[in-house]
Structure formats: structure tokens, C-alpha cells
Amino acid sequence: MNVTLPDGSTLELPDGATALDAARAIGPKLAEQAVLARVDGEPRDLRLPLPDGAALQLLTTRDRDDPDALYVLRHSAAHLLAEAVRRLHPGVKVAIGPPIENGFYYDFEFPEPIREEDLEAIEAEIRREIAEGREWTREVSSRDEARQRFSAAGEPYKAELVDTADGDISLYTQGEFTDLCRGPHLQDATPIKALKLTGLAGAYWRGDERNTQLTRIYGTAFFRQEDLDAYLERLEQARANDHRRLGPQLDLFHLQDASPGSPFWHPKGMVVWNQLEDLRRRENLRRGYLEVKTPLIYDKTVWQTSGHWEKFRGEMFLVAGEGEEPHAGLKPMNCPGHMLLFGSQLRSYRDLPLRYAESSTLHRNEPTGTLHGLLRVRHVTQDDAHIFCTREQIEAEIFGCLDYAAYLYDLFGMEARFDLSTRPPDRLGTDEEWDFTEAALASALERRGISYVVNEGDGAFYGPKIDLHMLDVLGRSWQMGTIQLDALMPKQFGLTYMGADNAEHAPYVVHRALLGSLERFMGILIEHYGGAFPAWLAPVQVRVLPVAEGHRQAVSELAEVLRAASVRADVDERDETLGKRIRDAELQKIPYVVVWGDRETRDALAVRRRGGEAVQTTSLEALVAEILAAHPDS
């Protein structure tokens, strides 16, 4: 058999040879450092036989930034975690332990609860395992043998997983621990040079709140200590920027059990919210969108027509009379209402494209355990729009959405990444419709020169979509906006327009939300800026501080002048020292602080800019001009 190497050369190997055999044939150093194979572009365990004619790439410890190399390193680290927990906590039952973005976790059922303080001992045990030496061996077992093996070992979760596993039952063993696992794994633990357990959480078995609640231990691992140090520094910064801490601290919002998943917005938070809403309305107007408003509750027949009653009912808040079955539902999205709006009168091809925009309250019945600050809520507000267009207008409308998204993300200093999410297994419509809509989105991305990743099977049940991700200042990726192309729902609602040929045609609909959930976007913005919003978004742009009692009148008049010039200004005239009031303004992350004493005039203000130590002398006119010029509409 032969395999092709990355340089195009061919390597001849015995039939049934593995990737590790190929590495040994090339050289002993490569075989020693190899951690993973890519076979025809797919990650694969070094121990598995290679197919004849495969393209082979061998990843080594030098590929420390490669996502697949990190994946196999962290997968192996998760197994070391499980071995350590079993040794330190006899009677523990082991569930699952996959690698995830930036690390790994493992779920356990402990005989007694553990605490964060216990992680240090577990981490020390993992380091002892690494120092002692661990190698991974792979074996294939029959389903019955594997089930009996795990049942005898008192591992009910593993035995249950055997029954639902696809394909061959493979087992990996290191030290005293054998796990049901597809792999891949390292040859041995030597490449794991840096490891840290990062926290505990609760998790239901198989994600179902009706099942046993397990304890999830999170961790991460790297090929180099300096990479772990950099990651932990980013993690610490992320904790400092956590919107759940900064939101109440900066008096923006709070959450409480009286209405789970529904934020209470304070006046300062509403200033930021309204700035985003003004931006949305202003840009929509510039781009030809028409503002509409549709009802919050619809009869179930509407949801049956749209397909949501069947596909999305479990995530809806339903409405029922006393002793009745649900007959209506609060809207979790705006699509059906906009379909009804389009269908309320006769339409011509001359009316198209017709772009409806609505920032409406939506409700989604998210499970309590998944709620997370502003990032996962039940009360949702989207910068939503639906564009009704002809087949010929699709590409131009997708281009318009992509350009709009690029403008918004650039405005907030965030880098965009794009996924093309294709037809899911549980979908409506014909393959021919899906072929066309998927190709239309791919063509728009390619003709715009936008690189993208295909996310197989993750489209909406009625159409494919472009998912927009943003990279924040901490390097974290957030899934935000979406652009979806729909040929199905307009037909389900019987929507038509009169074409130039005097015949009726069904329109296509582009569903799009670019900021996505405004609640989620607010949470991300708070963390992205660490609460230090740019001046145009800041709830208070200028705080004015009188030095003494005799300066209060002048300060009050100055604040009024600033407000009249459309600058958000307040006054802090508390009976505290000037230094404390300056420090409080810094903690509130206010962009400009003006100190007014005996020497200050409107032509010579003493101004402290956020982040700067030096006080600068600036005229009132120049200060107002500087603040207003920072606004995106200036």
C-alpha cells in the first residue's frame, strides 16, 4: 500500500500499516514526537490502519497551536483526570469526558460532594501520573463483553453508553483506567507539559434535567507552560470583565428569581440599549428597511402553518384557558407575523424587495439550568428583519446583509467569522429547494470574497443560513448574527406576488438578525469593553466635580450646557473628598471627568480623560466637539 505525504511524495508501507508505522518508516524522531494523524484531512488515531492511497499528515509536539493537536492532547488529559479521580475518590462513577474549546471536562457521580479546594489534590495526582509515565493502548471489544466489563466494574454510565455507541466498541487503557472511547489519543503522556483544573459545575446525565445530576470538572492542557500561562491570564481578564459582575456594579442591569432569564434594565443600562436601538433604526432607514410592529401572541394555527408548533413547541411559552389544551403561543421569533403582514394585501414585483424590520420582545422557554446572565435568556429582543424578494434579487439582498454586518462589527472593533450552516436531518421542503438555497448563500459569500466554514446539518428547519461570529478583545468567538434564506415558509403561508408576466409567484424570504439578541449583544459588549464603553455608548459621558461648596452653582450650569449640547453629563457634589469622587468616576468608567475650582472657566476646563493620568486644559466648545465627533453618525 502507498500513502501520499504533504510534500507530494509517496511512502510505500506494508498492508495494514498504521500512521505510527508510517512515522517510524520516515524516522525515529518523528515517530517519537507524533501525536496525531490527519488522514484525507480528518483527525485519526496513530494506531489505526491506513487506507491505501490516503493523504497522510503527521502532527507532532511542534504543532502546539494546531486545533487537532490540542484536541488529542486534551482528550488524553481528560482520561488522566478520570484515573486520578477514581484513585482519590473510591466509589465514584465515571460518565463522559470530552475535549471542548479551550480545554476539557469530565462528568462524575461522587459518593460525597467535592469542593473547589479538592481540585488541587486531583491536579497533583494527574501530575504524578504524568511523571510516573502513562501510555495509551487501544483494543476493540464486542458490545456484550464491553457491557459486562463496565457493569462488573460498577460503571453504569459506561455500560449505558455501550448500548448506544455506533460502530466498533473501542476501549483505551492507561495506567489503572480503561475507558469506552472512540479516540484519538496520544501515544503517551509525555507531551502534556502544562495542565490546570479550572472549576466545578453541575451537569445532568445526557443533558436531561430528569436524570441524575453529576459533577463536572473542567480543565485545560497545553504543550507548553507559557501557553497555559497566557491562557490563564486571558481567563483572569475574562473573569474581571464578566458582565454578570460588571452589570450590577455599573448600575446597568440586574437579574432576579422573580423572573428568571429576564433582565431588569436600570436607567444607565437603557442609555446603552437605546444607543443600539438608535443605531439599528438609523442604519435600517439608510438601507431601505421599513419599521413594523406585530403581535406577541398568535393562535396555534399560525405556528402549525409555519412549522414551529411541531419543531419548536418545546421552547415556546404556550397559552391555554382553564382546563384546556394550549391554543396559542407567545412568539419566540417574528417570522410568522411578518408572513401574515406581507399576505395582508396584494403584492406586485414592483413592491419587491420589501424589507420589514422589527425589534420586538420575544420569549423562549430556555431550561433553567442553561440560563447564563445576558448570554442565555428567556426574554429576547432581536434586531430582526425579513426581506421578501424575487429569485433574481436574492444575491443583491444577501450582499446588502453582509455589508451591513461588516459595518456593525467594524464599528465595535470586532473581527467577523462566517459559517454556512446547511440542511439539518429534521427539515421541511424538498432537496431541490435546499440545493438552490444552499448554493445561493455559498455563491454570495464566494463572490464577496468571504472565507467561510461549512457547518453541516446546522441550518434552520426551513432553510440554510450564514452564521456570523465575532471575535472580541479577549480572543473569544461569539455566535451573533444570522442570515437565512427561506423558500419554504412563504409557500406554507400561501404568499404570492404578481410578476411582470402577470402570473403569481412565491417570494423568497431572507431572515436576518445582525446583532442577534440585543440582550446577548449587551452582555458581550460589556465584556468586550470591560465596562469602559466608548464615549458614544457610555451611559454618562462627562462627570463634573465641584472642588468646594462655592463651585456648585457654576458646575450645575456647566452640566446644563453640556446636556443642551446633547452630551450626557451628571454632577457629583457629595460631601466626599475630591480624590474619592475622582476615584469613583474612574470605577464607573466614565470617559471624561471635569474638575471645576477657582481657576476654571468655560474656555479653560480641567479635564481628565479615562485611562490618562494627566489633567488637560480644554475649552467647553472643544470638549463637546470631541465627544460628538466620536458618535458613528457624526
Side-chain angles (χ1 to χ4, degrees), residues 242-253:
D242 192 322
H243 73 281
R244 293 168 298 176
R245 182 183 70 84
L246 287 175
Q249 178 183 309
L250 298 177
D251 198 21
L252 301 173
F253 73 91

Side-chain angles (χ1 to χ4, degrees), residues 139-147 149 167-171:
E139 61 182 298
V140 176
S141 170
S142 72
R143 200 172 295 272
D144 287 342
E145 287 173 349
R147 186 189 306 108
R149 182 172 182 170
D168 293 338
I169 303 299
S170 58
L171 307 175

Side-chain angles (χ1 to χ4, degrees), residues 104 106 129 136 159 167 185 231 239-240 266 291 378 384 400-401 491:
F104 60 87
Y106 219 116
E129 292 169 356
W136 277 268
H185 279 284
Y231 170 74
R239 287 187 181 123
H266 299 194
E291 196 80 15
R378 289 175 174 168
D384 214 354
C401 292
K491 293 177 182 176

Side-chain angles (χ1 to χ4, degrees), residues 259-274:
S259 184
S262 303
F264 290 74
W265 291 101
H266 299 194
K268 288 181 179 177
M270 282 306 299
V271 170
V272 184
W273 182 283
N274 287 332

Side-chain angles (χ1 to χ4, degrees), residues 552-562 602:
R552 290 186 175 183
Q553 180 63 35
V555 159
S556 177
E557 293 172 359
L558 176 63
E560 287 301 320
V561 173
L562 286 167
R602 293 189 184 182

Side-chain angles (χ1 to χ4, degrees), residues 106 155 165 231 271 310 379 392-393 460-461 522 525 554:
Y106 219 116
E155 295 289 3
Y231 170 74
V271 170
E310 178 187 355
H379 178 289
E392 295 74 25
Q393 293 167 337
F461 68 84
M522 282 279 285
L525 277 188

Side-chain angles (χ1 to χ4, degrees), residues 30-63:
L30 177 63
E32 180 186 332
Q33 294 180 344
V35 296
L36 184 70
R38 276 205 193 103
V39 179
D40 295 328
E42 294 297 320
R44 190 178 176 97
D45 195 288
L46 292 165
R47 303 158 186 82
L48 293 177
L50 294 168
D52 188 20
L56 173 65
Q57 179 187 7
L58 293 165
L59 300 182
T60 72
T61 53
R62 292 191 298 273
D63 296 301

Side-chain angles (χ1 to χ4, degrees), residues 490-501:
K491 293 177 182 176
Q492 290 175 287
F493 279 89
L495 304 183
T496 62
Y497 67 90
M498 190 63 68
D501 57 359

